[in-house]
Amino acid sequence: MSSDLREKWWFALPGVLIIVVVLLIPIVAALGLSFFSYPLQRPDLGIRFTGLDNFSRLLSDKNFFTSLWRSVLFTLGAVAAELVLGMILALLLKGEVWGKTLFKVAFMIPMMMVPVVVGVAWRLFLLPDFTPLQTIFGFLHIPFNPSKLLTEPGWAMFSVILADVWQWTPFVMLLILANLQGISPEIYEAAQMDGASKWREFWRITLPLVFPSLLSVGILRAMDAMRTFDLVYILTSGGPGTATELLSIYNYKIAFGRYDMGYASAVSVGVMLVLGVCIFGLLAYVNRGGKRR
């Protein structure tokens, strides 16, 4: 090994060690524990090897698939809204707007807040005793009771999606805006000389050029949304009933409600495998599209 290559390895070593300690060791520990029965409430039973029993139990667990479906709905709703709103805001801020820097800073504030704080703020905002929505709806003569937002299943899911969209749309906006600013103005000038309208410019120039970035941002947000826990737990605790019990909350209840650590590890491994297949499939699609260009 040459001295230059050895020096590069020494520089990369701290990062590799951090990844191994923070990421790989917990994954390997969860994978290993998923093959065991480990009831924390019964220490007298000890840790027993059960093979694939936890995974067999997982495949027949209706609550697991119901929670998985709720997580998928939450992810699709939140990410779709964030991509659309982020694109609109990025297009608006790309042009000449008064106070553009001020708007950028203001939009970044929700993104910099801790999810627990966001959950508490939205819970206070949506509580009937605190929310100004009742006054606003009454002034606009809209027949809607804001107390439904946290007490009815459909509206509760809408509320947690809304809170996530409020926090993470600025993240999507910033990444799309950076991509938009990298598009050469000469392309738009040529399109305008050919008589293209603004709508046609968006569909034929802006969207195709931004689409790879849009897809990458969508993948990042989907990965993050699928493991959302603190925001939803603070806002609704998975309620009313189990209406907003996402997979992360269901797994939390298994691990720290039933203290069934072996099965909780199997749930985590199952989710990791599902997400891994989906993410690698999307990344392969993005790479294939890039090579065609």
Side-chain angles (χ1 to χ4, degrees):
M1 183 182 294
S2 64
S3 59
D4 291 340
L5 185 59
R6 190 182 300 110
E7 185 177 353
K8 292 178 181 178
W9 272 107
W10 276 112
F11 279 114
L13 185 60
V16 173
L17 290 176
I18 291 173
I19 292 174
V20 169
V21 173
V22 175
L23 186 63
L24 292 183
I25 291 179
I27 290 176
V28 172
L31 181 60
L33 193 58
S34 65
F35 296 102
F36 290 84
S37 173
Y38 185 19
L40 287 180
Q41 286 183 318
R42 293 293 306 276
D44 56 301
L45 296 177
I47 302 176
R48 295 179 294 107
F49 179 77
T50 57
L52 297 176
D53 286 355
N54 285 326
F55 293 99
S56 176
R57 178 182 167 190
L58 181 66
L59 294 175
S60 60
D61 188 353
K62 293 181 180 179
N63 292 328
F64 167 77
F65 289 103
T66 304
S67 299
L68 178 61
W69 175 242
R70 291 193 198 100
S71 294
V72 171
L73 288 178
F74 171 81
T75 300
L76 291 177
V79 174
E82 288 161 10
L83 291 177
V84 173
L85 292 175
M87 172 65 82
I88 294 173
L89 291 173
L91 289 171
L92 291 175
L93 291 178
K94 180 176 178 288
E96 294 298 326
V97 180
W98 179 85
K100 183 189 296 187
T101 304
L102 179 63
F103 282 121
K104 287 181 181 179
V105 174
F107 285 141
M108 288 175 62
I109 292 175
M111 184 180 67
M112 294 185 292
M113 295 174 66
V114 180
V116 172
V117 176
V118 176
V120 171
W122 274 89
R123 185 170 179 81
L124 291 174
F125 179 73
L126 296 176
L127 283 176
D129 295 336
F130 292 93
T131 181
L133 294 177
Q134 185 69 58
T135 305
I136 295 173
F137 287 146
F139 178 78
L140 297 175
H141 301 286
I142 298 176
F144 179 74
N145 184 5
S147 63
K148 296 180 179 180
L149 293 172
L150 293 178
T151 58
E152 293 192 1
W155 285 111
M157 179 60 78
F158 171 79
S159 298
V160 296
I161 290 175
L162 184 63
D164 190 81
V165 170
W166 178 81
Q167 183 178 19
W168 291 111
T169 295
F171 172 76
V172 177
M173 177 202 71
L174 289 175
L175 294 183
I176 295 176
L177 181 60
N179 195 264
L180 286 174
Q181 292 174 339
I183 301 176
S184 174
E186 297 175 356
I187 301 177
Y188 293 103
E189 292 173 1
Q192 291 169 4
M193 292 179 63
D194 290 337
S197 63
K198 292 293 183 182
W199 187 250
R200 194 173 182 84
E201 285 181 13
F202 173 76
W203 280 106
R204 295 303 181 95
I205 299 175
T206 305
L207 191 58
L209 291 177
V210 174
F211 182 75
S213 170
L214 205 62
L215 191 57
S216 300
V217 175
I219 292 173
L220 290 174
R221 280 299 306 130
M223 292 170 60
D224 193 45
M226 278 296 292
R227 62 182 183 84
T228 298
F229 171 79
D230 34 15
L231 173 64
V232 180
Y233 189 79
I234 294 296
L235 191 56
T236 64
S237 298
T242 57
T244 57
E245 187 180 84
L246 305 184
L247 198 53
S248 57
I249 296 179
Y250 177 63
N251 201 17
Y252 170 81
K253 290 180 178 180
I254 293 173
F256 302 104
R258 307 178 195 169
Y259 296 100
D260 192 348
M261 306 306 292
Y263 185 56
S265 298
V267 172
S268 300
V269 172
V271 175
M272 184 175 61
L273 290 175
V274 172
L275 283 178
V277 171
C278 295
I279 297 304
F280 279 117
L282 289 171
L283 290 176
Y285 172 78
V286 173
N287 292 333
R288 187 168 62 250
K291 290 179 181 177
R292 286 177 181 175
R293 288 182 178 84

